[in-house]
Structures are given as structure tokens and as C-alpha cells.
Amino acid sequence: MTTRKPLASISATARFLPDNVLTNADLERMVDTSDAWIRERTGILERRIAPPEMGVVEMGKRAAQRALKKAGLTPDDVDVLIVTTATPDRLLPATACEIQAAIGASRGCYAYDLQAACTGFLYALSAAEGHIAAGQAETVLLVATEKMSVITNWEDRSSCILFGDGAGAVVVQPSRNGEGMLSSHHSSNGDLAPLLIRRAGGGALPLTPERLHNQEHMMEMSGPEIFKAAVKSMAGAGRKVMKDAGVTADDIDILVPHQANIRIIESTARYARIPMDRVFVNLQHYGNISSATIPVGLDEAIEGGRIGPGSVVLMTAFGAGLTWGATLVRW
Ligand code: COA
């Protein structure tokens, strides 16, 4: 491998998933669908749904506290707190500021939200790397927390089967022994924004009783178009970061992709020439938790012994925007 010296690395990971499980059998009672169709077309068997009183601040707080504990840090150690979410509890202030208060990190830390939908975690990893490279931070806490169930149109069978709730968190610190981020490549194409959109509820189309009734504040999705764009973009970004880092598919110990649809994951892995036994998949249990899928996946892969010191880990994601990207890390 001919890689540049990493500047920043992930020193701890954690996750929080709400207890309540929504199965495909439950969905059969809600919309015109079947367990067989959902399994075959998406690979998803069940997803977690947070209770009404639990929002992204609470889920993010729990993941953040677990990550700090694992890193042996206190909230006072956090220099920058970045939160990625497409489903904030409130539109103002930033969710990051609410989580900052919830974990008691308000002394000497600054906090902000970064919105890149499902790609948010990878964009935020690069932002964290930048803070460290610029000497602005020694410890960045990155929290990806999503309550997709509140923006899901539960009458739309083509989208409501896909999403779930949960949070992941990582601590990013300066690289000490050659471990860390080897290369990243991110892109977006705003021309494709209509493919995955919430039309109402912002300044352009404020909520009215009629728009609420028509569910215009909920997610609208053009599934097949997103499917095609997802495979092309994730595989392309994955190949680019491998090439930039002088790494081949054979060097990748594990691909941790955004978990949206098993067929998207399989096609991406095929285009990137990574066999499925080196791909991490947990979407059967959680569905698509937007920006939280990758940090939750990293945490489970570490716990399961699939990522350890020295592992070469490729992450790829895509999401509304459209946004997409890939990051290569030596653990
Ligand atoms: N149960 C049963 N049938 C369903 C269904 C469901 N839940 N959802 C859609 N169908 C039907 C469609 O109505 C269509 O019927 P028709 O042929 O009579 O019109 C048929 O199944 C095929 O629909 P199509 O949309 O072509 O299916 P698909 O194979 O593309 O799968 C998705 C649909 C949404 C699962 C798939 O396109 C997908 O996962 N796209 C990516 C979405 C995504 O990842 N979004 C998040 C981005 S981060």
C-alpha cells in the first residue's frame, strides 16, 4: 500500500437502538405488502421504531455517552461535536447543541449539525478529520442520530418498508500509530434532489392543514431511480478511494456500506470486486437508519471481531441530495 500518513482516526464507536421492533408481519397489517416481497426485494426483516417520547436528541445522547465511555473520555474532553440527522427534533437550534447540553459538554466545545442525509456520517468524518488536521481539535465527537419513522409516510408501501430509527457515535482523534483515514471522496448532485424529498414543512411550503392532510411533509421517494444512482455512485466512490490510497479490492478486509437494500449492497460489492463474505450487512435487523447505518455497523463489526487493529475498512454511502461518498480507514 502506498498511502499518505493518516491525520485522524476513529478511537471509539458506539450505538443505540430503541427496543421496539416492527416486523414485516406488522407491515403486512398496515399496507398492501408481504413479508416475502420485502425480504426478496430489500433483504429487510425488521426495523426498530423509537417511542413517541424518544427523539434524536435522546438516542444520540445515549450513543454519545457510550462512545465517550469506551474512549475513556469525559464530556469536557470534547472540542467539537458534530451531529448528522435528517430528522431533527426541532428545526432550531441545531440538534448538536441540544445533545451538547444533554451530555454536559457545554464547556469549551462547539457544536453544529451537518446535513447530507444518509451520506452524512462520511461527510462528517471528513469534517472531523479537517478540524484535527487544522489543529482546531484533539477530540471530535460525531453523532449520527435518526428517527426516520417520523418522516415516513406509513401509507406508502414502496418507502415505509425501508426505514428505521437509531443512533451511532464515534470519537475522532489525531492518528498516533499510522492508523486512521487513508482517503475519502465525496460528491453530490443537486439536480437529483426531487428523487428523495420532503416538499412541505420548510420556508418554501410552510405547513398548512391541507398539506399536512396530504402528507406533503413526509418523505417522497423514486425508488428505482435511486437504486440505479446508488449502485453507480457507491461503487465509483469506493473504487476512487482505493485507487487514491494505492489499495486494491484484495486489500480490503471489510466493506461497511450504507444499509439501504441488500440488492444495492450486493451490486456495489460486485462492481467494487469485493466478495460478500467481506461485506458487513445488518439491514435485516434495522432497515435503513440513514446516516446512522455506518457507525452502527462499525460498532457491531468491531464487537463481532470483524474489525480490529490493522483492519482495512472501506465505507460507502449515498443518500438524498443526491449525496454519496466513500472513506477508507486503516483501523
Ligand atoms: N410490497 C409489495 N409490492 C410493492 C411494494 C411493497 N412494499 N413496494 C412496491 N411494490 C410494487 C410496485 O408497486 C410495483 O408494482 P407494479 O409493477 O404493479 O407497478 C412492483 O412492486 C415493482 O416496483 P419497483 O418500484 O420496480 O420495485 P423495486 O424492485 O425497484 O423495489 C424498492 C422497490 C423501493 C425496494 C427499491 O427500488 C429500492 O430499494 N430503491 C432504493 C431506495 C432507497 O434506498 N432509498 C433510500 C436512499 S438512502
Side-chain angles (χ1 to χ4, degrees), residues 215-268:
Q215 307 245 40
E216 289 173 50
H217 59 307
M218 295 300 183
M219 229 180 335
E220 270 174 46
M221 189 184 80
S222 307
E225 285 85 352
I226 291 178
F227 190 111
K228 278 180 235 143
V231 173
K232 208 171 137 220
S233 58
M234 286 209 294
R239 281 201 303 253
K240 166 118 178 80
V241 294
M242 286 193 279
K243 186 163 179 265
D244 289 350
V247 163
T248 71
D250 290 341
D251 297 313
I252 304 298
D253 292 305
I254 190 162
L255 166 65
V256 182
H258 174 49
Q259 309 280 314
N261 182 317
I262 190 64
R263 293 183 295 133
I264 292 177
I265 293 175
E266 286 168 351
S267 302
T268 301

Side-chain angles (χ1 to χ4, degrees), residues 9-286:
S9 69
I10 297 173
S11 50
T13 61
R15 65 186 187 275
F16 172 80
L17 282 315
D19 293 334
N20 181 40
V21 175
L22 182 75
T23 65
N24 291 349
D26 296 327
L27 282 165
E28 282 178 349
R29 290 187 284 275
M30 295 163 63
V31 286
D32 180 13
T33 190
S34 68
D35 173 49
W37 194 95
I38 301 172
R39 275 173 196 255
E40 190 192 319
R41 306 308 291 164
T42 73
I44 301 167
L45 308 183
E46 57 190 30
R47 60 294 283 148
R48 302 296 178 90
I49 304 294
E53 68 280 6
M54 181 180 282
V56 294
V57 172
E58 182 61 25
M59 289 190 284
K61 174 185 118 179
R62 296 191 194 196
Q65 287 173 330
R66 289 175 186 179
L68 288 177
K69 191 164 179 223
K70 282 191 187 175
L73 298 170
T74 71
D76 283 344
D77 295 317
V78 179
D79 300 311
V80 183
L81 170 54
I82 309 175
V83 169
T84 63
T85 186
T87 57
D89 292 352
R90 268 169 278 282
L91 295 182
L92 199 73
T95 302
C97 292
E98 293 199 74
I99 292 181
Q100 179 186 31
I103 65 171
S106 297
R107 281 183 299 273
C109 153
Y110 75 96
Y112 65 92
D113 287 1
L114 188 158
Q115 222 284 42
C118 300
T119 318
F121 176 74
L122 295 188
Y123 276 39
L125 260 188
S126 289
E129 184 185 26
H131 288 303
I132 285 169
Q136 297 162 348
E138 280 284 310
T139 298
V140 181
L141 177 61
L142 198 174
V143 182
T145 179
E146 307 279 7
K147 191 171 183 182
M148 299 304 286
S149 59
V150 293
I151 63 165
T152 296
N153 179 347
W154 292 102
E155 291 167 11
D156 174 14
R157 69 175 181 172
S158 66
S159 64
C160 76
I161 55 167
L162 296 173
F163 298 96
D165 303 336
V170 302
V171 174
V172 182
Q173 294 185 302
S175 170
R176 311 235 181 259
N177 300 307
E179 83 292 356
M181 284 166 244
L182 300 173
S183 63
S184 301
H185 176 72
H186 309 311
S187 301
S188 53
N189 180 353
D191 290 345
L192 300 177
L195 295 185
L196 186 48
I197 194 164
R198 291 175 70 196
R199 291 184 194 282
L205 294 179
L207 277 185
T208 59
E210 194 191 355
R211 289 183 185 132
L212 263 177
H213 176 76
N214 294 337
Q215 307 245 40
E216 289 173 50
H217 59 307
M218 295 300 183
M219 229 180 335
E220 270 174 46
M221 189 184 80
S222 307
E225 285 85 352
I226 291 178
F227 190 111
K228 278 180 235 143
V231 173
K232 208 171 137 220
S233 58
M234 286 209 294
R239 281 201 303 253
K240 166 118 178 80
V241 294
M242 286 193 279
K243 186 163 179 265
D244 289 350
V247 163
T248 71
D250 290 341
D251 297 313
I252 304 298
D253 292 305
I254 190 162
L255 166 65
V256 182
H258 174 49
Q259 309 280 314
N261 182 317
I262 190 64
R263 293 183 295 133
I264 292 177
I265 293 175
E266 286 168 351
S267 302
T268 301
R270 199 165 46 246
Y271 281 117
R273 299 186 195 286
I274 298 171
M276 280 305 288
D277 62 358
R278 286 194 268 130
V279 179
F280 182 83
V281 177
N282 64 1
L283 95 164
Q284 64 275 27
H285 302 305
Y286 307 132

